[in-house]
Amino acid sequence: MALSMPRPSARADDSIAYKYENYREEDGRITVVTESGSVNEDVAAYGHIQLSGTIDAVAGATPTGRPAPPGSDQVPLTEIFSRRKAWNGDYSEQFPELQH
């Protein structure tokens, strides 16, 4: 059975990682929150699987590009909100040395 075969010595480390990031611009104008994670795992004798994902959200106000009204230094702003998700998976396998 492949799962009980000894693993080669030059393999990646099994790992689980989680990251949380929170950025807030001055006066709370823009806020960005990102969460991401990954899992790396050796499978069977020569396989390796890597899964990762990221969810992020951007919210706040941003200038529209129009000039400020006469008598004001405040340019017009528009509210924004964006939530994005990204997922990725990879499987790789090392082949044992082939003999002639």
Side-chain angles (χ1 to χ4, degrees):
M1 179 176 185
L3 293 174
S4 63
M5 295 173 63
R7 293 181 175 190
S9 60
R11 296 295 300 264
D13 290 333
D14 297 340
S15 65
I16 296 175
Y18 172 79
K19 292 182 183 179
Y20 175 83
E21 299 170 307
N22 187 332
Y23 167 78
R24 293 181 186 275
E25 196 169 279
E26 187 176 317
D27 296 328
R29 194 175 84 170
I30 293 289
T31 299
V32 179
V33 176
T34 303
E35 294 182 80
S36 61
S38 65
V39 175
N40 289 285
E41 179 74 30
D42 289 335
V43 293
Y46 295 98
H48 185 80
I49 191 166
Q50 188 270 331
L51 304 170
S52 63
T54 300
I55 299 172
D56 69 352
V58 178
T62 188
T64 63
R66 294 184 302 218
S72 173
D73 62 353
Q74 176 61 51
V75 297
L77 302 175
T78 186
E79 293 292 317
I80 61 169
F81 179 80
S82 175
R83 183 178 169 103
R84 301 173 292 192
K85 299 176 185 177
W87 308 101
N88 187 52
D90 293 304
Y91 176 79
S92 60
E93 190 165 325
Q94 295 179 345
F95 294 101
E97 291 184 34
L98 301 175
Q99 296 181 0
H100 293 40

